[in-house]
Structure formats: structure tokens, C-alpha cells
Amino acid sequence: RGKDEKYKVRMPKLRMAREYKDKRKSIDDVERNMFRFKKSSEEKSKKMEKEEKFFRETFMYDKEIRVLATATAERSVPSQRRVDLPVTAGEQLDVIDAVQGHAVICRNAQGRYGYVLVEHLNFR
């Protein structure tokens, strides 16, 4: 018996199981992160719907919302009123409607709508 036990090779089976378990955990974490991303996109779409509803009520806009052009803000402009859209330099804006005068209705990346003066925009 003593000689047999002496020459017996032991395989570390637990080590393989742990490695597999670690790999499985990392795969599960990736899948969980994917679900978190979907949850945040759902929250973002709800927020955008809320902003659109506010826009339609405030501006009394009954038409279909279509993007006429894309513009880039040349400089940062804080908003004076709630209907004005605060803009940062270099921000991409979707032009929704051209209003009489020097202002256009724009939408930013967060889905917020408001008036922006044409002199602050750069159309390509």
C-alpha cells in the first residue's frame, strides 16, 4: 500500500472546476451588462417620449416631427427661458422646424427641444 500511494498521481480536479466557474461568471457578467444596457435604453426612450410630449404641449406643434437638417453649434449659449435650448460648442443638433425670424426649433442628443438662434449654428 505505501508504495502504491507514493507513486499515485493526483489530478487537481477542483482547480479545473474553479477555472470553468470563473469563465462562466465572466460570461454571466457580460450578459448582465447587456441587460443593463437595454434597461437604460428603455429609460432613455421613456425620457425622450416625455420630452416630446412637453415639446408638443409647449410649442403647440401638431405636425409630424421630421429632421430638416443637421447643424453644429458654433458656441456655447445658456438658455434664458424654458423654451430656449441650452447649447454647448460643437454639439450636434437636429433642426426640426424653421420659425419666422432668426430662431429655429432644434433637438439635441438627449432629446430635448427648444429654440436656437440661427447665428449660433453652422449648417454644412
Side-chain angles (χ1 to χ4, degrees), residues 12-26:
K13 292 181 182 178
L14 290 175
R15 196 178 251 174
M16 283 194 257
R18 283 183 191 162
E19 289 173 4
Y20 175 73
K21 195 175 186 181
D22 291 341
K23 285 181 184 178
R24 195 176 75 213
K25 279 184 182 178
S26 65

Side-chain angles (χ1 to χ4, degrees), residues 14-116:
L14 290 175
R15 196 178 251 174
M16 283 194 257
R18 283 183 191 162
E19 289 173 4
Y20 175 73
K21 195 175 186 181
D22 291 341
K23 285 181 184 178
R24 195 176 75 213
K25 279 184 182 178
S26 65
I27 291 170
D28 290 343
D29 290 343
V30 169
E31 289 176 0
R32 286 186 188 131
N33 288 339
M34 182 178 67
F35 291 128
R36 284 184 196 151
F37 175 74
K38 287 183 180 179
K39 184 179 178 184
S40 67
S41 65
E42 287 176 9
E43 290 172 0
K44 189 174 182 180
S45 66
K46 286 180 183 178
K47 184 179 179 185
M48 291 184 89
E49 287 176 9
K50 183 180 174 185
E51 287 288 341
E52 183 179 336
K53 183 180 177 185
F54 178 79
F55 163 70
R56 289 189 181 278
E57 290 173 358
T58 305
F59 291 83
M60 292 179 242
Y61 197 81
D62 296 330
K63 299 183 245 177
E64 179 186 351
I65 296 176
R66 285 187 301 164
V67 177
L68 301 177
T70 305
T72 307
E74 289 183 341
R75 62 187 135 227
S76 297
V77 181
S79 64
Q80 303 295 329
R81 308 171 291 168
R82 174 63 174 117
V83 293
D84 293 337
L85 185 64
V87 179
T88 57
E91 184 178 10
Q92 292 282 342
L93 300 171
D94 296 331
V95 178
I96 303 299
D97 196 4
V99 187
Q100 295 175 353
H102 298 284
V104 291
I105 298 174
C106 294
R107 176 178 62 198
N108 64 6
Q110 288 81 29
R112 192 162 171 212
Y113 296 85
Y115 289 116
V116 178

